[in-house]
Each structure stands twice: as structure tokens, then as C-alpha cells.
Amino acid sequence: MARDIKDSFKLALAQLNPVVGDIEGNLRTARKVRTALGEAGADLIVFTELYLTGYPLEDLVLKPALQKAAREACEDLARDTADGGPAILMGLPWGEAPFVYNAMALLDGGRIGAVRYKNNLPNYGVFDEKRVFAPGPLPAPIHFRGLSLGVPVCEDIWAEDVCEALVGAGAEILIVPNGSPYWMGKQETRYGVAETRVGETRRPLAYVNQVGGQDELVFDGASFVLNADEDLAVQLPAWEIALGVTEWRREGGRWHCLPGPMAMVEEGDAANYLACVTGLRDYIDKNGFPGVVLGLSGGVDSALCAAMAVDALGAERVHCVMLPYTYTSEESLSDAKAIAKALGVRYDIVSIHDSVEGLTKSIEKLFEGLPRDATEENLQSRARGTLLMAVSNKLGPLVLTTGNKSEVSVGYATLYGDMNGGFNPIKDLYKGQVYALARYRNANRPKDCRGPRGPIIPESVLTKDPSAELKPNQRDQDTLPPYEALDDILNCLVELELPLSEIVARGHTPELVKKVERMLYLAEYKRRQAAPGVKITAKNFGRDRRYPITNKFRERL
């Protein structure tokens, strides 16, 4: 028989990595976690938002069969709690025809004791919850063994009304289950939001977030507890599964959390690198691919992608292929070989000479009398892409594409060539960020990474002029402005949506700003066909920034 809670209890935070749609697998994990946390003396275990089905579900949540399976799994798990062990707060979609709600259910005493719905549905950036969920009413507290718990779900704490209503109805503690994806600086933003709600309500707040990758989104975990004085009492680690048992005491009629684990949460380059590795690992593993294959050109982009792949999957699951042609330099051949050796991966050299010459000859009469231009150059890229796809088809690994955000922004990439592939770990990193992460990885071996210690990417790769090597003496800056300027202009156009006049005021010429704007708009059709990749910045291409392909608007300057 479960005890009533008087002056102390243990609240467990289950920071886990659910798999979208794998209700049976998520349920098995939940049961294992309950057993372990029961042995640790937990009274209540909080799982994350929509844990039972995985998050985000997108339109899958509208499928009645999924709603039914989730409800049945929840009822099945509820029966487990008849043993007098820990109760559970479980996230799942809750269908009440014709609506479906983003819900949290209290499982205790062998039954579903209460259900509360998310009220504030986000509908911006990567979130489309108003498309698939109905908003719940302002929630009432959940009464649990003598405690009155407020359970605002994720976005519910980003405005004051839900927490205000809960506390007004008697909530003593705020427990916040989340599916909060990562982007740069997100943890500080979360702290700020949580501190604001705590300051307004004078109630302690436990924030539990999921971890792991789901398509383009990555979740960093980093769950925490704030006491009513806004002091941080518990901090779980980021980028790893963690079970945190927190101890609570009631003194003077108010609850507070005793000091607990205080993990270091990665920031800056360390966090961005782990985000890319986590997103890549889970995309490959959750989709059942045996490994990855990528073209290793000797440049910094493919070098960083290879390092991330080995850190995510282990060297035995990474296959690198150098695909040289007439314009491939000896330096690139040497650098690619050195990178592959440092990483310990399978490395093959497959010349594309015969392929390119054959393609060129096939269209020779069609193009008779016309000068050579980017058409012939792109045949090299497309030959490489076709051969990498052949390796994927024959041997099974997913092709990684390796274009950075700077290049993808302005269309400096070849459709059906170097854009071939099923995933891109650096898709949302500007070129300057690529160099920063390459240098970071040379100096650090981040936690839970499977690659070797020590420098991986030769200094020559980091200092030579970037080049696609599609013609003699080619350099990226023949076509593009210096990356430092390009990245700044793109950040202003994409992330900040600044007026062109303000971008010029940062020190860029009007002609250059207009050129970059034009390239950005014209490349939209390419980006629509690009592989998914890890979201790192505040506004990625695809889920965040959704521009029309057909678009004649140009800002006047």
C-alpha cells in the first residue's frame, strides 16, 4: 500500500530517449526505469512530454490506431502501479473524439488517476502543435497522495497564465514535462523562463526534458530543479540518458528540494558538436541503417562529417571514399588519407575519370559548339554522387551529404551530386562554425564519443583555401565572398531577418548584400530537395524557415 506523503518524498526525473512510434519499446523502457527507481525509493516518476509515443509525432498523432495503442499501453502500465511502488506521470496523446490532446496522466494504485491536457500549444519555428492537437482548458492541480501538483506541459510555462491558474488552485510544486529541442543558447533561455515562473508563483519547479535525436531535431535533456528562491537545486547532465532521484522536504508549510547532483552542462562548441553527433547517431540507429558512407575530399566539411560519424557510430560503421578526378590535388589526396588513417575507418579510392569522360562523351554532340562551363564541372559532382549511392544500394550504409549552411544558403552545391545523401550532420552549421568545430574536435574528445583522442583533422585542411576542385586552380572565393562576410550576411538575412540597410550598416557593400540576397532566394528549389540535417541555429532551413520557391520579392535598398 502506497503511503500518503506528509513532510518528505522522492521525485524521480526520467530523462530518456524515446523512439517515435515505438510504443512497445518505450513501454518496456518505462517499466525497467520504474523498477530501478522503485529500488531507489522514488514515490513518483515523471516522464517527458508524449514519452509513450515519442515526440514530436507530427501528423502521425492523428492516426486513430496510434491513439488507441497509446491509451492501451498507458492502461497496461497503470495496472503495474497496483503493487504499491512508484506512481507515474506519463506523457501521451489522449484522444477524445473528434479531438486529440497532448496529455499527462497520473498512474497510481493500479489505475489512471488523473489526466491533464496541455493548454498553450506552440505554433512557431519547428512547432506545429495547433495543427494536430486541441488545446486543453487551464488545468487544475493533480492530487497525489496528499500533495497538490501543478503539471504545466512544456510551452505552458512560457507564459504566466497556466502556472498562475495552477498556483491559484493550490498547487504546491510545479512539475514540467518537456520535449524541448536544442538550439544554440537554449539552456540559458530555459533557465530564464523557469526562473520567471518561479519568481511569480513562489513555488519550486522541476523541469524534465527528453534527450536524443528525432529527424532534424535533437533534444539535450539537461533537466533541472529550481527551488522557490530560484536557486538551482539539481542539474542533470545534457546529451545523455539520466535518472535523477530528487529529495523533497516540507518546512514551514512549503516544499523545497534538497541539494542534489549538479552536472556540468556543455555550452558553445561543445554543445553544438554533441548535438550533431547525437542527431546523426539516432537518425542512423533508430532507422536501422548498418552505418554510413561518405565522400572524403580532403576538405574541412567532409573531414568534420567523418569525425562526427566515427564519434557517433564507431569506426567500424563508417566507410570513407575518395573520388578523385583530374583536378584533385595531391594535397587533397594526402589529407584525405591522413584523416581516414587517424579515424581508423575503411578508406577506398575510386577514380571518377572514366565515369566523367563517358558522361562528357555522351553529350558531346548535343553541346557541340558551346563552351565548357559549370555544366561539365557538375558532371564530376554528379558522378561522385551516383557512385556513393551505388555503394549505399549494394552494401547498405546511408550516404552522408556534407554541405555546410553557407554553401546550401547560396546554392553553392550540386543537385544530384554532392547534395546526394540521406542525412547531413552539418547542414545547419555555417562555414565559420565548421572550422570552429573542427578545431574543437582536434583539441577535445567529447563524452560518449567513439572516435580516437588527439588531432584528427590535419592543420593543412584548416589553413588551405577551400575549393570544390572542379577546374584548375579553383577556389570557393572565385564565386563566393569571403566566408566571414558571407556568414554574417546570411545570419542577418536568415536568422535575424534584418532589413538590407541594417546589414549594409554592419560594413558590407550594398552590391554584396544584394548579391547574397539574390543567391539565397534563387537556391530555395535546391534546399527543398536537400537531405535532412541536425538543427543547431535558431532558424534552420526546412522546419523553421519556410520560404516559397516561386518568389519574385526583392527588398529595395
Side-chain angles (χ1 to χ4, degrees):
M1 186 74 179
R3 69 179 180 90
D4 282 343
I5 292 170
K6 297 185 185 296
D7 296 319
S8 67
F9 81 107
K10 291 184 178 181
L11 173 67
L13 312 181
Q15 179 175 296
L16 302 173
N17 185 358
V19 178
V20 165
D22 187 9
I23 295 172
E24 291 183 2
N26 296 336
L27 177 60
R28 281 195 302 272
T29 300
R31 283 182 159 139
K32 290 177 183 176
V33 165
R34 182 173 183 266
T35 297
L37 292 174
E39 293 172 355
D43 295 293
L44 176 63
I45 306 167
V46 186
F47 289 82
T48 51
E49 178 180 14
L50 295 176
Y51 169 81
L52 202 50
T53 54
Y55 176 86
L57 286 164
E58 302 184 56
D59 286 6
L60 180 60
V61 76
L62 300 176
K63 197 171 185 64
L66 178 127
Q67 298 171 27
K68 180 175 182 288
R71 179 81 68 92
E72 290 173 349
C74 185
E75 291 168 347
D76 195 20
L77 184 60
R79 285 188 282 272
D80 292 358
T81 64
D83 62 6
I88 290 171
L89 275 172
M90 176 57 70
L92 74 157
W94 193 270
E96 292 287 358
F99 303 115
V100 60
Y101 298 94
N102 185 335
M104 292 298 298
L106 174 68
L107 317 182
D108 194 21
R111 65 188 184 91
I112 299 175
V115 179
R116 297 291 183 269
Y117 302 144
K118 187 175 183 177
N119 170 262
N120 190 3
L121 300 177
N123 208 55
Y124 58 86
V126 301
F127 304 108
D128 284 315
E129 290 197 25
K130 288 184 180 179
R131 171 187 171 89
V132 294
F133 290 113
L138 284 173
I142 292 176
H143 297 289
F144 165 69
R145 301 183 189 177
L147 275 175
S148 183
L149 303 175
V151 187
V153 180
C154 199
E155 195 76 12
D156 283 342
I157 71 166
W158 289 67
E160 64 185 26
D161 53 344
V162 172
C163 292
E164 183 180 80
L166 287 165
V167 171
E172 300 171 272
I173 299 170
L174 298 175
I175 298 175
V176 190
N178 292 268
S180 177
Y182 171 82
W183 56 79
M184 292 187 298
K186 187 68 173 290
Q187 186 68 358
E188 286 303 315
T189 302
R190 294 183 190 123
Y191 287 146
V193 169
E195 287 167 0
T196 299
R197 298 289 86 82
V198 169
E200 292 167 350
T201 62
R202 308 314 300 168
R203 296 294 187 275
L205 182 150
Y207 184 107
V208 57
N209 191 26
Q210 74 180 55
V211 69
Q214 170 58 29
D215 295 346
E216 292 174 287
L217 300 183
V218 285
F219 299 85
D220 50 328
S223 305
F224 59 90
V225 177
L226 293 178
N227 272 318
D229 59 3
E230 301 178 32
D231 279 352
L232 187 65
V234 172
Q235 176 64 68
L236 298 190
W239 307 112
E240 61 185 85
I241 289 170
L243 303 176
V245 179
T246 63
E247 297 189 50
W248 295 71
R249 298 285 186 272
R250 192 200 317 252
E251 296 176 356
R254 288 185 172 273
W255 286 97
H256 70 276
C257 181
L258 300 183
M262 295 295 288
M264 185 273 292
V265 175
E266 291 81 6
E267 300 176 337
D269 291 340
N272 289 344
Y273 192 88
L274 285 169
C276 294
V277 168
T278 299
L280 174 57
R281 177 184 294 144
D282 277 354
Y283 192 85
I284 298 303
D285 288 347
K286 290 181 178 181
N287 287 294
F289 292 103
V292 298
V293 61
L294 68 152
L296 190 62
S297 68
V300 68
D301 295 325
S302 64
L304 182 61
C305 287
M308 288 175 170
V310 172
D311 280 338
L313 307 172
E316 69 280 1
R317 297 176 65 191
V318 179
H319 183 183
C320 292
V321 184
M322 160 56 90
L323 298 141
Y325 185 59
T326 304
Y327 309 121
T328 303
S329 67
E330 287 299 322
E331 185 179 27
S332 292
L333 287 165
S334 174
D335 286 338
K337 182 178 179 181
I339 294 162
K341 182 178 180 181
L343 291 170
V345 297
R346 176 179 174 181
Y347 176 65
D348 291 299
I349 299 176
V350 179
S351 171
I352 64 168
H353 184 272
D354 291 347
S355 301
V356 174
E357 295 304 310
L359 289 169
T360 302
K361 190 169 183 61
S362 296
I363 54 177
E364 193 173 47
K365 289 186 179 180
L366 190 63
F367 294 163
E368 190 172 1
L370 298 175
R372 294 176 66 90
D373 57 16
T375 304
E376 286 77 15
E377 294 174 21
N378 288 340
L379 288 179
Q380 299 168 52
S381 181
R382 293 190 170 113
R384 292 182 173 112
T386 298
L387 291 170
L388 288 172
M389 288 303 302
V391 174
S392 176
N393 292 161
K394 183 67 72 174
L395 304 179
L398 182 78
V399 177
L400 291 188
T401 182
T402 62
N404 62 71
K405 190 172 186 177
S406 304
E407 295 168 353
V408 171
S409 294
V410 295
Y412 195 64
T414 305
L415 273 177
Y416 326 120
D418 57 321
M419 291 181 68
N420 272 9
F423 197 74
N424 182 353
I426 65 168
K427 180 181 180 179
D428 201 31
L429 294 174
Y430 289 113
K431 189 75 168 187
Q433 294 172 309
V434 169
Y435 280 106
L437 291 196
R439 293 189 181 279
Y440 166 79
R441 182 57 182 91
N442 273 353
N444 302 272
R445 183 176 183 265
K447 68 180 182 183
D448 199 28
C449 285
R450 302 169 189 179
R453 297 184 185 278
I456 291 169
I457 301 171
E459 187 64 22
S460 55
V461 174
L462 302 174
T463 55
K464 67 184 176 183
D465 291 336
S467 171
E469 295 192 328
L470 299 177
K471 61 182 179 181
N473 302 314
Q474 184 181 28
R475 295 292 181 265
D476 288 3
Q477 263 60 76
D478 298 341
T479 304
L480 303 176
Y483 279 113
E484 184 177 357
L486 179 62
D487 289 356
D488 185 61
I489 294 171
L490 288 171
N491 179 62
C492 291
L493 290 170
V494 176
E495 273 82 19
L496 303 179
E497 295 279 10
L498 291 182
L500 299 190
S501 59
E502 291 188 24
I503 304 175
V504 171
R506 295 166 69 95
H508 305 292
T509 66
E511 294 77 16
L512 179 57
V513 172
K514 288 295 294 182
K515 176 184 177 181
V516 173
E517 181 204 38
R518 179 178 181 276
M519 295 171 79
L520 175 67
Y521 285 151
L522 290 180
E524 190 64 43
Y525 80 101
K526 289 187 178 183
R527 289 191 292 273
R528 288 289 185 95
Q529 300 178 66
V534 182
K535 173 181 165 64
I536 297 294
T537 66
K539 189 177 288 186
N540 75 335
F541 291 120
R543 295 187 67 100
D544 278 314
R545 186 182 185 275
R546 308 177 197 181
Y547 267 55
I549 296 173
T550 305
N551 169 24
K552 291 295 186 181
F553 177 78
R554 300 294 184 268
E555 185 178 342
R556 291 184 178 181
L557 180 58

